[in-house]
Amino acid sequence: MNFKKDEDTDELGALMNLDHSAVLQEARIFNQTPIRPRHSRLLLAKILFLLYRGDSMPTTEATNLFFSITKLFQCKDMSLRQMVYLTIKELSTISEDVIMVTSSLMKDMQPKSEITYRANAIRALCKIVDPSMLPGIERFIKSAIVEKTPAIASAALVSSLHLFGEAKDVVRRWANEVNEALNGKAISQGPSFFGGSNPNQVVSTSNIVQYHAIGLLYAIRQHDRMAVLKLVQGFSGQNKSSSWMGGSGATLRSNMAYVMLVRYAVRVMENDPSLVPQLHVLLEEWIRHRSDMVSLEAARAMCQLRDVTAKQLTGAVNALQVFLSSPRPTVRFAAIRTLNTLARTHPEAVQPCNVDMEGLITDSNRSVATFAITTLLKTGNEASVDRLMKQMQGFMTEISDEFKTIVAEAVRSLCRKFPGKHSVFLAFLSGVLRDEGGYDFKRSAIEAIVDLAKHVPECKEAALAHLCEFIEDCEFTKLSVRVLHFLGEEGPHTARPSMYIRHIYNRVVLENAVVRAAAVSALAKFGAAAVADPSLQRSVRVLLQRCLDDREDEVRDRAAWALRMAGGERTRDKYVRDDSTFVLAVLERKLVEYCADSGAAARGRFSFDSVPRISRAQEEETRARTRLETMDAVLTGSAISAPSASKSATATSEPGTPAAASAGFADVYEQQAQYVSKLNAIPELAAFGAQPLVSSQRAVDLTEAETEYVVRCVKHVYEAHIVFQFDVTNTIPEQVVEQVEVAMEPEDDISDVLQPVVVVPIPELRCDEPGTAYVAFERVDTDTFPSAAFACTLKFVVKECDPATGEPEEGDEGFEDEYSLEAVDLGAGDFMQASYLPDSHALWETLGADAECVETFALANFDSIAECVARVAELLGMCPLEGALTPKSKAAHQAVFTGKWMGTTKTVARTRMTYQKGTGVTMELAVRSEDQGVSELVVSAIA
């Protein structure tokens, strides 16, 4: 083979066209004598490329190739030996009997071998060794960890970290050696396996060894909270006089190790809030560190802490302000991105940096300039908007779509902040829609215009006109469908709806089938609108009749449906003007379950009655919250391409707060659907699944977050049963608790109404591994709805265990113990299903005054109407309609709630509240229902 370099040869193309069989045939040269190092090295590179490309290799073939490669150990060429190590590591996962090469690797670990041999041999050996054989080479790895040569020590530390997942018990025994490597100490007794007897060899001061050592040490100690705390504190300026392990003082020389310390400190603060003040001091110390890397990481950590105050942010913001003038683009970018994220929650804390950020608008790095402008938009005032928008137009064509999306989202959030500047925002957004850009960027701009049209009535018609112009030349089908849908929602309510019909019908003539179908639906909304005049309705019907001849069946079906719906006022109200929608996540889950159940079709058709409905406004709130979480992920760099999953309302908001009461009923319904699946999977509770689940209430904490056992309770109400779900977490590392159950005793005698039927214990509960226990009651009298308080006690068997492994001590039978919990209340609101009922005003009139119950309450313990209405919504267990939880006045407020008692009886509640300082809130509650008794029960929920 001629290895002469040809300058006209495309080397990458040659690699891409490698033939698998040809390469394996060529591997016969490994058996030749003498060994040809250069030829063998190139062939190994080809084999590695095939593996990295994803080519499959049978086990027999891989094993033969593996043992052929081991013959290359006879050659002393250093470059070839490095390729051999790398190929052995890759083939070890698909070959058999790879442990046979251990002797060759052990030979390369001898003290007289080259340093490169020794370090790579350790990596390869730890890759192929079986966890059961690890004790046999344990002493070699421990000696390598404290080796004075940085390459060998780092190889041993990193390999140990990889082994930790499979052999935790063995690696934990190396903690002392890891600590010596971290502190820069040599072994003081006896010669090491790697030649430690040389008295002239100095202790290494390599920084990378400390970085790898601190990572491994944290992995070993991560479940011991106090050990992690001592690790963090041991290298702070306040504790340089003593090591965390009790030895002499140690100093970290690795800036990357300090970065890891900052992250460990944040994790300790998240797990134990009582240590937050103590570790705040450490973060402030690291913010003043001489290394930019450490200072930036500490400042970022401080800015991302929960419940951080403006005073605590001062040091971090000052440090970031200094970094804005750094000559290095990476430092400027890191600082401005951190400030951009902070400006979302604490814009006032970032305002002192405005002057420095304005200087970055003309930065040569357009990413820095983009973040500078979007941050200024969040922290600036209304007077600076015009100037910033003009500057932003200048470089929109110079930045990538990712940063264009960030700019569009920043403008979108600014539209609500300064509605008076709607003309400036609209001009900017319509201009960027005419420029080149990808789907995500155009979608962000479209959504910003939609927000403007919804929340600023003065610019609605101008915004709709820009959207009509956009769909005339739109290359993205999804965006055309989105705009057409919005035109159908808002267009009929404008002063001149006919001007939009022309643009919509153009899409029927010129676009693809998907867009044509969306255009037909939009036309149907114009014809069915309550404000539409007869001439406009006739015109729309003519256009819809033309659509009946479309070549696509979906378009024809929608046109026929629209013409049928135009036949009567009642039909239009039910199918076209209805402002409610299904919770799509729940609908999808129930359809999947229905299709997966082989006997479901035999029992009957799928029923939409079991799928909850929400208003369009509530659906929009859920989408807005998801969008904010997605933008948070984009701005922090944690998930650029994958939006973060929407968090459950039960986990993100505290009970009794406005945020909790309004945190998205779509999320609440999805959580309830998950509860149903979980309950049906438990044999003792599976029989209850034949009954519809009326409601699942929000989780209530029965203990403090810092106690030994953390318990939360969720109430599930069925037609004939009530299930109490207790989520329990053991926070004691030295204990394993078994047979965990909750004993519930009603404070009053309700045996004639409720009878306990099932208790489901937790078999075993280890530290920080949550478990769930259940207690179920049967409703003896289904016509009675009791209100009661239950005294709860956690009962369990305690066994001592090793904190490192979590395994109970052998022969320990344990002892019984119990733990008192807060009482659990069962009230009238637990029997109410929070359902959205469309057109609540008409329903209120239909129910009539005969089934009405009115009561006035003096609520002196509330300091605001917002606090009161959130608590009322929680007690009633009903769905608040739009604006119910956001009072516009501090003195008076009206709210409307809807729901279904036991999932069947429609109920509407209206409240009128007034607030006066000193006397609290005075509330009038009026309830109408299909059953007079239900109205009285709902009122009693407040009493």
Side-chain angles (χ1 to χ4, degrees), residues 56 116 317 348 470 486 663 806 810 835:
S56 60
T116 305
V317 172
E348 69 287 344
F470 171 73
F486 185 68
E810 188 176 353
S835 302

Side-chain angles (χ1 to χ4, degrees), residues 586 625 648-650 660-661 663-673 675 696-698 834:
V586 179
R625 189 173 59 259
S648 171
T650 60
F665 272 83
D667 291 337
V668 174
Y669 292 133
E670 169 61 11
Q671 180 70 55
Q672 181 170 325
Y675 283 141
S696 292
Q697 300 301 320
R698 299 184 188 275

Side-chain angles (χ1 to χ4, degrees), residues 262-276:
V262 173
R263 296 178 181 177
Y264 300 155
V266 172
R267 293 177 191 176
V268 172
M269 297 167 76
E270 291 175 349
N271 295 331
D272 192 349
S274 63
L275 297 174
V276 169

Side-chain angles (χ1 to χ4, degrees), residues 458-679:
E458 296 84 356
C459 72
K460 177 182 290 187
E461 294 194 7
L464 294 178
H466 286 301
L467 293 177
C468 289
E469 178 187 352
F470 171 73
I471 60 174
E472 290 292 341
D473 187 24
C474 177
E475 58 181 317
F476 301 107
T477 298
K478 288 184 178 180
L479 294 184
S480 296
V481 172
R482 174 71 176 107
V483 171
L484 288 169
H485 173 76
F486 185 68
L487 290 173
E489 291 289 333
E490 301 294 336
H493 304 289
T494 58
R496 293 183 299 167
S498 57
M499 67 179 293
Y500 306 110
I501 293 179
R502 174 175 61 87
H503 295 280
I504 295 175
Y505 189 70
N506 283 346
R507 310 277 64 75
V508 177
V509 178
L510 302 173
E511 292 288 355
N512 57 51
V514 176
V515 178
R516 296 201 306 272
V520 169
S521 297
L523 285 174
K525 294 177 181 178
F526 276 84
V531 296
D533 58 82
S535 62
L536 180 65
Q537 290 180 339
R538 286 194 298 271
S539 300
V540 170
R541 279 198 292 271
V542 171
L543 296 178
L544 290 174
Q545 287 171 351
R546 293 179 182 176
C547 297
L548 293 175
D549 298 327
D550 194 276
R551 61 183 179 274
E552 184 68 30
D553 57 351
E554 176 67 21
V555 179
R556 296 194 302 270
D557 290 346
R558 291 198 184 193
W561 172 84
L563 289 170
R564 178 68 179 271
M565 292 305 103
E569 192 73 18
R570 183 177 179 182
T571 306
R572 288 198 294 268
D573 288 341
K574 182 176 181 180
Y575 294 104
V576 183
R577 299 173 186 169
D578 186 7
D579 68 336
S580 64
T581 182
F582 291 111
V583 181
L584 297 182
V586 179
L587 176 61
E588 179 185 14
R589 178 184 292 272
K590 289 186 176 293
L591 285 172
V592 169
E593 292 175 352
Y594 181 83
C595 294
D597 187 355
S598 58
R603 293 193 295 269
R605 295 182 300 175
F606 180 82
S607 175
F608 285 93
D609 294 336
S610 61
V611 182
R613 303 177 72 92
I614 58 175
S615 67
R616 300 284 181 182
Q618 291 170 337
E619 182 186 35
E620 185 63 29
E621 286 179 7
T622 302
R623 289 178 178 175
R625 189 173 59 259
T626 304
R627 176 180 64 85
L628 289 176
E629 292 173 355
T630 302
M631 282 311 301
D632 284 339
V634 170
L635 292 176
T636 56
S638 58
I640 295 295
S641 60
S644 59
S646 179
K647 296 180 181 179
S648 171
T650 60
T652 57
S653 302
E654 293 298 325
T657 63
S662 63
F665 272 83
D667 291 337
V668 174
Y669 292 133
E670 169 61 11
Q671 180 70 55
Q672 181 170 325
Q674 294 175 9
Y675 283 141
V676 171
S677 301
K678 188 176 180 180
L679 292 169

Side-chain angles (χ1 to χ4, degrees), residues 98 189 236 317 343 562 696 812 820 839 895:
V98 294
Q189 297 180 357
S236 66
V317 172
S696 292
D812 185 5
S820 298
D839 200 358

Side-chain angles (χ1 to χ4, degrees), residues 266-483:
V266 172
R267 293 177 191 176
V268 172
M269 297 167 76
E270 291 175 349
N271 295 331
D272 192 349
S274 63
L275 297 174
V276 169
Q278 184 178 354
L279 293 178
H280 258 299
V281 179
L282 291 184
L283 286 181
E284 292 174 356
E285 175 189 329
W286 287 325
I287 288 173
R288 299 187 295 270
H289 197 273
R290 63 181 181 276
S291 169
D292 292 348
M293 180 194 305
V294 179
S295 183
L296 279 168
E297 182 67 25
R300 185 181 70 88
M302 182 72 78
C303 294
Q304 292 180 349
L305 289 177
R306 291 177 295 181
D307 303 324
V308 65
T309 63
K311 183 178 179 181
Q312 293 170 333
L313 288 170
T314 303
V317 172
N318 290 341
L320 294 171
Q321 186 175 7
V322 173
F323 289 135
L324 292 178
S325 57
S326 171
R328 290 186 291 174
T330 52
V331 175
R332 297 198 303 273
F333 178 81
I336 192 63
R337 192 175 73 166
T338 303
L339 289 172
N340 187 286
T341 305
L342 180 62
R344 298 179 66 86
T345 54
H346 296 82
E348 69 287 344
V350 185
Q351 285 179 352
C353 303
N354 282 1
V355 176
D356 300 87
M357 289 188 292
E358 288 186 11
L360 295 178
I361 294 177
T362 57
D363 194 279
S364 57
N365 188 308
R366 308 318 286 164
S367 301
V368 174
T370 302
F371 273 120
I373 281 194
T374 53
T375 308
L376 285 169
L377 290 175
K378 299 171 187 176
T379 61
N381 51 35
E382 192 168 1
S384 63
V385 168
D386 292 337
R387 174 170 50 83
L388 292 173
M389 298 300 289
K390 288 180 181 178
Q391 290 177 311
M392 198 153 42
Q393 287 176 336
F395 67 90
M396 284 296 290
T397 57
E398 302 175 15
I399 60 178
S400 64
D401 274 10
E402 180 182 338
F403 287 103
K404 286 180 180 179
T405 303
I406 293 175
V407 171
E409 291 290 347
V411 173
R412 182 179 180 183
S413 61
L414 208 64
C415 293
R416 296 190 182 187
K417 186 177 180 182
F418 302 124
K421 293 292 183 179
H422 60 81
S423 58
V424 179
F425 298 138
L426 201 56
F428 171 78
L429 293 169
S430 61
V432 299
L433 283 179
R434 301 186 188 99
D435 299 334
E436 293 294 327
Y439 169 77
D440 289 332
F441 164 57
K442 292 294 181 72
R443 181 186 59 81
S444 299
I446 289 295
E447 293 299 334
I449 294 177
V450 168
D451 271 5
L452 267 175
K454 284 183 176 180
H455 300 101
V456 186
E458 296 84 356
C459 72
K460 177 182 290 187
E461 294 194 7
L464 294 178
H466 286 301
L467 293 177
C468 289
E469 178 187 352
F470 171 73
I471 60 174
E472 290 292 341
D473 187 24
C474 177
E475 58 181 317
F476 301 107
T477 298
K478 288 184 178 180
L479 294 184
S480 296
V481 172
R482 174 71 176 107
V483 171

